[in-house]
Amino acid sequence: MGSCPAANLEKELRIKGQEMSKGTGERKTTDEKKAVDKEQDLSAESLEEATVEVEQDIASVESRIEELSKENEELLDGLLRLKAEFENYRKRMLKEQTRILDTAEAGLVKKLLTFIDNLERAVGNSAGQAGAAGLREGVEMVLGQMLEILAKEGLEVIDPEGEAFDPEHHEAMMVVETDQCPEGTVVEVTQKGYRFNGVLLRPALVSVACPAKSRE
């Protein structure tokens, strides 16, 4: 019994349909693969671009940090210099204030020297005078107290009798011939000298010994 033409046609159509479906599936798989590959390429490119941006941002931040560090060092150096300058200024001002005070004090003490001289003369002139013993003791007490107070403030008396002549602190008013002491010895003090905190207020007025001339 022969095959039916209709049945054969249906079989051929079914086979062709299967082949077409298979081809369509293969094309679809290929397209999907291409799409995935394209998406992966785009992701890799985006990642690379993002990495470059991050590296640029890091470089920019590092550069800014370096700039700020340099500015900080410059500010610190400036502050240290300013501190040193202020410290030097403070020391100069203290030194100047001390000098001014010392000068003012020395000037005041120097004015008192005349008063001290007068008290010493009063003591010397009253020696041996009848009825002047009480007055002399009172003047000596005042003089002693004044010298004691001034000595605590830095006053030094220059009374070099019997010492070698010192031109820095003594002023020779007279030369005395004598063989009783070495040449250049202070044999008499006409007026005492004074120093205040190491500064000479006035030299001592003295008479200095020299060898006596031989008389034939």
Side-chain angles (χ1 to χ4, degrees):
M1 184 172 180
S3 299
C4 178
N8 291 334
L9 178 60
E10 183 181 355
K11 183 178 181 181
E12 289 177 1
L13 290 174
R14 187 167 54 252
I15 292 171
K16 288 182 180 180
Q18 290 176 352
E19 290 177 350
M20 290 178 65
S21 297
K22 183 178 180 182
T24 303
E26 290 178 351
R27 286 195 301 273
K28 184 177 181 182
T29 301
T30 301
D31 292 340
E32 289 177 351
K33 183 178 181 182
K34 288 181 179 180
V36 170
D37 291 342
K38 184 176 181 181
E39 184 177 352
Q40 290 178 346
D41 291 340
L42 290 173
S43 298
E45 184 178 352
S46 299
L47 179 61
E48 184 177 357
E49 291 177 353
T51 302
V52 171
E53 290 180 359
V54 170
E55 291 177 348
Q56 291 176 346
D57 291 341
I58 292 174
S60 177
V61 170
E62 289 178 345
S63 176
R64 183 56 179 163
I65 290 174
E66 185 176 353
E67 291 177 0
L68 292 174
S69 178
K70 185 176 180 181
E71 291 177 2
N72 184 56
E73 290 178 359
E74 292 175 353
L75 288 173
L76 182 59
D77 289 341
L79 288 174
L80 291 175
R81 285 196 300 270
L82 184 61
K83 181 180 178 181
E85 290 175 0
F86 177 77
E87 185 65 20
N88 291 333
Y89 172 78
R90 187 182 67 84
K91 290 179 179 178
R92 286 196 303 270
M93 289 299 98
L94 287 175
K95 186 176 181 180
E96 182 65 14
Q97 288 175 2
T98 301
R99 186 192 67 79
I100 292 173
L101 288 174
D102 288 345
T103 301
E105 290 177 354
L108 176 60
V109 172
K110 191 172 183 179
K111 292 178 180 178
L112 292 175
L113 296 183
T114 302
F115 182 66
I116 293 173
D117 292 338
N118 291 335
L119 290 178
E120 288 180 339
R121 291 191 189 98
V123 171
N125 294 334
S126 62
Q129 292 184 7
L135 177 61
R136 184 171 184 273
E137 289 177 1
V139 173
E140 285 180 338
M141 184 175 64
V142 172
L143 177 61
Q145 290 176 345
M146 177 176 289
L147 290 175
E148 182 180 357
I149 292 172
L150 293 176
K152 291 179 180 179
E153 298 299 323
L155 183 67
E156 301 174 63
V157 180
I158 303 175
D159 189 5
E161 186 171 349
E163 300 176 4
F165 177 75
D166 180 2
E168 291 186 2
H169 299 95
H170 309 155
E171 183 177 343
M173 302 298 292
M174 186 182 300
V175 176
V176 179
E177 295 182 3
T178 180
D179 294 326
Q180 302 299 316
C181 56
E183 182 180 3
T185 301
V186 175
V187 295
E188 184 182 1
V189 178
T190 306
Q191 185 181 69
K192 295 176 183 177
Y194 291 93
R195 283 189 299 267
F196 185 73
N197 289 327
V199 178
L200 182 67
L201 295 181
R202 78 179 187 195
L205 305 182
V206 299
S207 298
V208 184
C210 72
K213 295 180 181 179
S214 59
R215 297 179 182 177
E216 297 180 355

